[in-house]
């Protein structure tokens, strides 16, 4: 009898039934035939199981993709992305009491402000906003009493409105006085021009500060800022603006170097990466992805955020960025960090938020209204976060004690649940991949309990990288590698300023005025955000740097 093969299947090629090598002569006894039949059935069942698992996996991916596209998210619920109907949506959610903006309280005769909020007010604007008095007097003809006696002033009614003085472009004329010997016996002397950030350009320090803030803080592309300047009477091509941005990044580089040194002083830091598209990069297509890497950390009271551009997402990048660092590094589970982790003196922490996120996705693909195993995992992880929440303001010693008393037992319960559940779940399902992720990174997930100052997740890096991601939606890509590197420098210094509670424009305006004249490292260190602690000064009722 010729060799037989299994009947072709209409399943995807990946799960086609395997060819079965049957003997040329089938056995005649019942036991041998039964064993052969069982082997054929087992082979068919294996393929059937694989196909069903694949179908389950594809269905879960479809549900998650549909939820990401159409489902509720934190961004949608907070109004993110509602651009064209923003006014209608926000106005519909408000009431009449919100027609009045909250103003600072009036001060009493003793100079102290009342702490009692006015009715209908939600908060207080900064008290340093300047008040401009607009006096409305009663006409002289109406200040005569019907009895014929002239009226006297007995009081006044005061109401307040918010006002805004728009930006005005102006030209600064630097007039340098020159003096010479009356008898022309000696060379004349001319007043020196103060050091400028870009001496070969005609951009002032204040204009450069505004340019960088509107692009990298407000997310305004250069093309739109070109139109803003044009409306105010100044025609500055976007190509010129781009050159100013790159030039300003070079001026700020010494400040970033000191920030990076401060970042590497600490015991632990966070690192993450996100994509960026660079159109003109040697050896890469314009549609390919490059990457912006962010590292954040810093000593208490001196938080630092550092961005670095690289064309690659490979493991050599974090090794290059942190080659002088020794300590704990909080990351996600991306395998590109494995080479860094193999470095002596580097201890990796894995983010619990990424673990929880995987189980939350597994919850989403469960049948609606039913509680499953994924819900149990989310609840168990929630206990770990509960410990962190209850001891958020505690010192490191108290937090370490709480972790040892509460987090360690919670982790033991979670591990017992993991070991019990993992063998019973399909590996490629959403729940199966979440369980495998938890198992694979368990030692690095639990390492945070060794100390009281180690973080439980990488949210700090994700929050630091978010302004870049939001801005990327507006400007979409970088044209050149030089532009991408300049963006990394400027994002670094501005996000570090924000992290230190410094108003970005006011601080950057001061930096760009003083940094060109800095002669020593101490001069540059004096301009770091935690040394300046700049505030948003107000002159003539408007922020400094704006014309009256």
């Amino acid at each position: 009898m010729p060799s037989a093969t299994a009947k072709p299947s209409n399943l995807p090629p990946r799960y086609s039934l395997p060819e079965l090598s049957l003997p040329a002569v089938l056995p005649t006894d019942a036991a041998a035939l039964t064993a052969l039949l069982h082997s054929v059935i087992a082979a068919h069942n294996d393929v059937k199981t694989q196909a069903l698992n694949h179908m389950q996996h594809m269905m879960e991916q479809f549900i998650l993709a549909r939820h990401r596209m159409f489902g509720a998210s934190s961004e949608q619920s907070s109004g993110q992305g509602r651009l064209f109907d923003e006014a209608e949506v926000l106005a519909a959610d408000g009431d009449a009491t919100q027609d009045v903006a909250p103003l600072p309280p009036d001060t009493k005769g003793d100079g102290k402000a009342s702490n009692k909020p006015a009715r209908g007010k939600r908060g207080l604007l900064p008290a340093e906003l300047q008040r401009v008095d607009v006096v409305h007097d009663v006409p002289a003809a109406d200040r005569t009493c019907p009895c014929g006696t002239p009226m006297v002033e007995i009081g006044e009614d005061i109401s307040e409105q918010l006002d805004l003085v728009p930006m005005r472009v102006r030209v600064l004329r630097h007039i340098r006085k020159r003096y010479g010997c009356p008898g022309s016996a000696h060379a004349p002397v001319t007043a020196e021009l103060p050091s400028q950030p870009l001496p070969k350009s005609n951009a002032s320090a204040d204009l450069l500060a505004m340019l960088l803030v509107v692009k990298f803080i407000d997310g305004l592309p250069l093309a739109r800022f070109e139109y803003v300047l044009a409306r105010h009477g100044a025609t500055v091509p976007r190509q010129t603006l781009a050159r100013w941005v790159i030039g300003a990044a070079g001026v700020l580089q010494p400040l970033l170097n000191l920030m990076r040194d401060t970042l590497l002083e600490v015991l632990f830091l966070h690192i993450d990466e996100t994509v960026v598209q660079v159109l003109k990069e040697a050896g890469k297509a314009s549609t390919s992805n490059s990457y912006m890497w962010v590292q954040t950390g810093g000593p208490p009271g001196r938080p630092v955020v550092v961005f670095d551009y690289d064309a690659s997402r490979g493991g050599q990048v974090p090794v290059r960025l942190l080659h002088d660092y020794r300590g704990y590094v909080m990351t996600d589970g991306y395998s590109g960090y494995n080479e860094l982790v193999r470095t002596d003196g580097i201890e990796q922490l894995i983010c619990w938020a990424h673990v929880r996120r995987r189980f939350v996705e597994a919850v989403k693909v469960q049948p609606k209204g039913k509680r499953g195993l994924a819900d149990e995992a989310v609840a168990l992880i929630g206990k770990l976060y509960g410990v962190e929440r209850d001891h958020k303001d505690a010192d490191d010693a108290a937090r370490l004690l709480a972790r040892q008393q509460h987090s360690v037992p919670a982790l033991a319960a979670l591990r017992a649940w993991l070991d019990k559940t993992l063998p019973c779940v399909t590996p490629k399902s959403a729940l199966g991949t979440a369980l495998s992720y938890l198992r694979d990174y368990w030692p690095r997930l639990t390492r945070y309990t060794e100390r009281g100052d180690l973080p439980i997740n990488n949210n700090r890096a994700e929050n630091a990288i978010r302004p870049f991601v939001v801005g990327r939606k507006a400007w979409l890509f970088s044209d050149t590698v030089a532009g991408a590197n300049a963006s990394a420098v400027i994002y670094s210094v501005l996000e570090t300023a924000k992290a230190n509670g410094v108003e970005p424009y006011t601080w950057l305006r001061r930096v760009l005025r003083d940094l060109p004249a800095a002669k020593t490292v101490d001069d540059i260190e004096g301009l770091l955000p935690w040394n300046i602690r700049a505030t948003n000064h107000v002159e003539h009722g408007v922020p400094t740097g704006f014309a009256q």
Side-chain angles (χ1 to χ4, degrees):
M1 183 176 181
S3 175
T5 59
K7 182 179 178 180
S9 170
N10 57 0
L11 294 172
R14 172 179 179 180
Y15 300 111
S16 297
L17 296 178
E19 293 188 359
L20 301 177
S21 299
L22 299 179
V25 179
L26 293 176
T28 56
D29 62 288
L33 282 173
T34 301
L36 180 61
L37 179 60
H38 285 169
S39 66
V40 173
I41 293 174
H44 281 251
N45 287 340
D46 288 344
V47 173
K48 181 179 179 180
T49 300
Q50 293 180 39
L52 290 176
N53 291 342
H54 178 68
M55 291 172 63
Q56 179 187 2
H57 173 70
M58 296 302 294
M59 180 59 68
E60 289 177 347
Q61 294 303 308
F62 169 74
I63 293 173
L64 291 175
R66 184 175 62 180
H67 189 276
R68 282 190 288 268
M69 181 170 292
F70 302 110
S73 68
S74 59
E75 290 81 5
Q76 290 174 334
S77 60
S78 63
Q80 183 72 25
R82 301 301 297 266
L83 299 178
F84 299 102
D85 60 348
E86 178 184 25
E88 295 92 326
V89 171
L90 296 180
D93 292 339
D95 53 42
T97 63
Q98 293 174 317
D99 288 344
V100 180
L103 297 175
D106 289 331
T107 56
K108 299 178 181 179
D110 56 3
K112 298 181 179 179
S114 173
N115 293 326
K116 183 178 179 180
R119 179 176 298 177
K121 304 299 188 291
R122 294 179 178 269
L124 300 176
L125 291 175
E128 62 267 20
L129 289 178
Q130 184 182 17
R131 266 59 177 175
V132 177
D133 292 336
V134 181
V135 179
H136 307 279
D137 207 348
V138 179
D142 296 335
R143 286 184 285 179
T144 302
C145 184
C147 66
T149 305
M151 294 183 178
V152 295
E153 183 177 346
I154 59 174
E156 56 188 15
D157 298 327
I158 300 177
S159 60
E160 294 187 330
Q161 291 179 317
L162 281 179
D163 189 32
L164 176 67
V165 179
M167 180 180 71
R168 186 179 69 189
V169 179
R170 62 185 181 182
V171 176
L172 300 179
R173 297 178 64 231
H174 293 273
I175 302 173
R176 301 163 61 194
K177 295 292 186 178
R178 185 169 60 250
Y179 296 84
C181 175
S184 301
H186 302 281
V189 294
T190 305
E192 292 186 1
L193 183 68
S195 300
Q196 300 296 314
L198 300 180
K200 295 184 179 180
S201 76
N202 57 351
S204 71
D206 294 8
L207 174 58
L208 291 175
M210 178 58 63
L211 168 63
L212 300 186
V213 167
V214 297
K215 175 172 172 56
F216 295 97
I217 298 294
D218 302 330
L220 192 69
L222 296 181
R224 297 181 191 173
F225 192 59
E226 176 187 4
Y227 299 144
V228 171
L229 293 176
R231 287 202 310 269
H232 289 78
T235 301
V236 183
R238 67 195 69 174
Q239 291 81 4
T240 300
L241 296 176
R243 292 179 62 85
W244 289 353
V245 168
I246 295 175
V251 175
L252 297 171
Q253 184 66 53
L255 205 63
L256 174 58
N257 294 341
L258 294 180
M259 291 177 177
R260 190 186 301 275
D261 292 342
T262 303
L263 172 69
L264 300 181
E265 292 175 0
V266 296
L267 177 69
F268 67 88
L269 55 80
H270 304 250
I271 186 169
D272 200 1
E273 79 288 334
T274 188
V275 297
V276 61
Q277 186 178 355
V278 178
L279 299 184
K280 301 172 183 176
E281 186 161 17
K284 297 191 68 173
S286 60
T287 55
S288 61
N289 285 333
S290 296
Y291 296 89
M292 195 68 76
W293 296 74
V294 63
Q295 309 115 72
T296 181
R302 292 186 290 165
V304 178
V305 180
V306 173
F307 286 79
D308 281 284
Y309 168 76
D310 200 284
S312 171
R313 198 191 180 202
Q316 74 279 2
V317 180
V319 172
R320 173 180 62 82
L321 297 177
L322 302 178
H323 68 281
D324 288 334
Y325 178 74
R326 296 296 180 269
Y328 293 90
V329 179
M330 170 61 77
T331 74
D332 55 27
Y334 170 51
S335 60
Y337 296 110
N338 292 345
E339 188 173 347
L340 173 66
V341 174
R342 287 191 288 268
T343 304
D344 291 338
I346 296 291
E347 298 287 344
Q348 186 184 26
L349 304 170
I350 293 292
C351 172
W352 271 101
H354 282 76
V355 177
R356 184 182 183 278
R357 200 170 297 154
R358 289 172 179 265
F359 283 107
V360 169
E361 289 190 346
V363 170
K364 294 175 182 177
V365 300
Q366 292 176 165
K368 289 186 177 181
K370 292 187 178 181
R371 180 178 175 83
L373 294 172
D375 295 283
E376 297 179 14
V378 173
L380 290 170
I381 296 172
K383 294 181 180 180
L384 301 177
Y385 275 93
V387 175
E388 300 303 310
R389 182 173 57 252
D390 294 341
H391 298 82
K392 178 180 179 181
D393 298 324
D395 58 31
D396 294 342
R399 189 179 301 108
L400 175 60
L401 180 61
R403 287 175 173 178
Q404 294 298 316
Q405 292 179 343
H406 304 292
S407 300
V408 171
L411 285 168
L414 179 58
R415 180 70 205 205
W417 176 88
L418 170 65
D419 294 337
K420 176 183 175 182
T421 306
L422 185 59
C424 306
V425 177
T426 305
K428 291 189 176 296
S429 64
L431 179 58
T433 56
L435 291 168
S436 298
Y437 187 91
L438 178 59
R439 177 201 60 198
D440 294 343
Y441 292 109
W442 183 262
R444 285 168 276 184
L445 284 165
T446 60
R447 188 170 286 159
Y448 80 98
T449 60
E450 296 175 357
R451 300 175 58 97
D453 55 351
L454 297 178
I456 189 175
N457 57 38
N458 206 25
N459 287 355
R460 185 170 177 178
E462 293 189 357
N463 292 337
I465 214 168
R466 186 170 292 115
F468 174 85
V469 175
V470 173
R472 185 181 60 199
K473 294 179 180 179
W475 44 259
L476 300 179
F477 52 80
S478 292
D479 187 53
T480 64
V481 173
N485 284 318
S487 297
V489 173
I490 298 167
Y491 270 114
S492 298
V493 297
L494 290 179
E495 290 303 319
T496 298
K498 287 170 55 181
N500 282 270
V502 174
E503 198 285 311
Y505 171 73
T506 305
W507 172 77
L508 188 58
R509 177 174 176 260
R510 163 80 178 276
V511 167
L512 290 175
R513 285 181 174 186
D514 296 351
L515 188 58
K519 303 297 184 183
T520 66
V521 174
D522 290 340
D523 293 339
I524 301 174
E525 284 185 345
L527 298 174
L528 291 169
W530 47 84
N531 291 329
I532 289 185
R533 299 294 183 191
T535 57
N536 188 15
H537 299 290
V538 175
E539 297 175 358
H540 308 294
V542 293
T544 52
F546 286 82
Q548 297 185 55

